[in-house]
Amino acid sequence: MAEHLDSTGDFPIRVRGVKNVFGEHVVHDGLDLDVRRGEIIGVVGGSGTGKSVLMRSIIGLQIPAEGEIEVLGSTITDARDDEDIDIRSRWGVLFQGGALFSTLTVAENVEVPLREFYPEIGDELRHEIARYKVLLSGLPAEATSKFPSELSGGMKKRAGLARALALDPELLFLDEPTAGLDPIGAAAFDSLIKGLQQTLGLTVFLITHDLDTLYEICDRVAVIADKKVIAVGTIPELLATDHPWIQEYFNGPRGRAAKDAQNRNDAAKDAQNRNDAARDAQDRNAPTGVVDNRPAGQA
Ligand SMILES: Nc1ncnc2c1ncn2[C@@H]1O[C@H](COP(=O)(O)OP(=O)(O)OP(=O)(O)O)[C@@H](O)[C@H]1O
């Protein structure tokens, strides 16, 4: 008997036995994956292993030749076209290039899904929601009236993120969000994603080649190779496997550099926490917040 997939509970995304084929080219064959509610799952694999095709299959833009995909309780693989998928408003997607409409301002881009899914919302409220999403994505208020061509690469990503967040999604799909950003911009984007996951309770499906992102913000990592998800787990769990690609990826020079960087960040955060704790203890011991500097006898 076929296993019953339950994507309404702890696993909002469940993928079973998926096969994707383009002509003679088999991209996935027997691919399984469960995504846990509230996690950031990183999806890695060599170029062309089908990370984006998997994401497109999960959001109904690519119908697999075989297999079953359930998202938030709906069987995506039964839909005839993406209009059939009535849960599209419950996820947001940031595509690789941002996919912003070049003739619309940032705010108008964010308003596109609002107009589509909630046409009854009045202009004023729609503008207000769009403005809030732009600010939530770390852009200044002035960015709302800018066109994509007037934005830097990092700002375009944030504008794409604002649009992905327009409908208060439960699931956020990100395809290489830090590609093309400088290391400082990439780290800032990582922090933004982590903060949003924690404050909004998002489940995040994140395709990346960025090892720093994997170490910094991903709860688990799924590795695609040989047309399947060959392993999924925390980085230490993956390192305990002996698959050559996983070993080379995480233990190669870039993997080691990312791990060292994370160790340094962790040490800096620990030191900061210790300082904060010491300062809090000092503040608690002080009888008032006022320091009395008057010479003895005058107090
Ligand atoms: N619409 C399509 N028609 C034909 N082939 C396709 C189509 N979409 C994807 N492919 C092929 O499927 C394979 C997987 O593509 P995909 O974009 O998912 O790879 P990826 O793992 O995301 O790669 P990268 O890391 O380089 O972005 C590639 O060989 C690609 O050429």
Side-chain angles (χ1 to χ4, degrees):
M1 203 177 88
E3 182 195 358
H4 174 68
L5 304 183
D6 178 10
S7 56
T8 52
D10 293 340
F11 299 99
I13 302 173
R14 307 203 77 171
V15 180
R16 282 293 175 280
V18 157
K19 181 169 187 175
N20 274 304
V21 181
F22 297 104
E24 301 279 284
H25 182 188
V26 180
V27 177
H28 301 133
D29 196 1
L31 184 148
D32 298 334
L33 179 65
D34 287 334
V35 178
R36 294 179 182 156
R37 186 172 298 281
E39 75 174 341
I40 300 184
I41 189 161
V43 179
V44 302
S47 247
T49 48
K51 301 178 292 295
S52 301
V53 170
L54 174 60
M55 186 185 96
R56 291 172 60 80
S57 304
I58 295 171
I59 59 175
L61 297 179
Q62 160 76 34
I63 304 299
E66 289 175 16
E68 188 178 345
I69 299 176
E70 260 197 29
V71 183
L72 298 168
S74 291
T75 306
I76 299 297
T77 31
D78 283 349
R80 283 180 306 281
D81 60 46
D82 83 335
E83 292 299 325
D84 273 357
I85 302 171
D86 57 6
I87 54 164
R88 282 184 306 147
S89 62
R90 292 170 66 190
W91 63 60
V93 186
L94 174 57
F95 290 100
Q96 246 183 68
L100 295 168
F101 297 106
S102 58
T103 54
L104 302 182
T105 64
V106 168
E108 286 164 350
N109 264 283
V110 178
E111 288 182 32
V112 169
L114 292 166
R115 282 179 189 277
E116 182 184 355
F117 287 94
Y118 298 102
E120 68 281 11
I121 292 182
D123 289 350
E124 203 174 317
L125 179 57
R126 199 178 55 249
H127 298 330
E128 196 47 45
I129 296 172
R131 187 183 138 83
Y132 168 68
K133 301 297 173 175
V134 169
L135 297 178
L136 188 66
S137 302
L139 286 170
E142 311 84 81
T144 49
S145 56
K146 292 219 157 54
F147 287 93
S149 58
E150 299 174 283
L151 304 177
S152 70
M155 291 172 87
K156 276 188 197 139
K157 301 265 182 189
R158 285 172 190 263
L161 182 64
R163 192 176 60 188
L165 295 173
L167 303 175
D168 293 333
E170 290 162 61
L171 308 178
L172 183 62
F173 293 89
L174 306 172
D175 195 350
E176 297 196 32
T178 57
L181 300 186
D182 66 77
I184 294 172
F189 203 87
D190 283 347
S191 308
L192 175 64
I193 298 300
K194 188 75 189 171
L196 290 171
Q197 174 227 8
Q198 288 172 340
T199 51
L200 305 178
L202 296 169
T203 301
V204 184
F205 181 100
L206 188 160
I207 298 173
T208 189
H209 288 289
D210 190 330
L211 280 149
D212 291 325
T213 302
L214 295 173
Y215 273 103
E216 276 301 314
I217 66 167
C218 291
D219 299 299
R220 295 192 305 153
V221 178
V223 182
I224 303 186
D226 311 327
K227 305 181 177 42
K228 294 179 168 53
V229 173
I230 55 160
V232 54
T234 61
I235 295 177
E237 284 167 354
L238 294 179
L239 282 169
T241 67
D242 55 7
H243 193 283
W245 191 87
I246 296 176
Q247 286 301 328
E248 200 180 329
Y249 189 72
F250 289 103
N251 273 330
R254 282 167 176 254
R256 284 199 305 272
K259 188 166 194 292
D260 291 347
Q262 198 218 11
N263 288 341
R264 281 197 300 277
N265 283 348
D266 286 350
K269 278 181 207 154
D270 284 350
Q272 182 67 46
N273 288 341
R274 277 197 303 276
N275 281 347
D276 289 349
R279 206 177 30 246
D280 285 351
Q282 231 172 17
D283 291 348
R284 274 196 302 276
N285 288 336
T288 67
V290 180
V291 178
D292 192 340
N293 278 335
R294 285 172 295 176
Q298 290 182 22

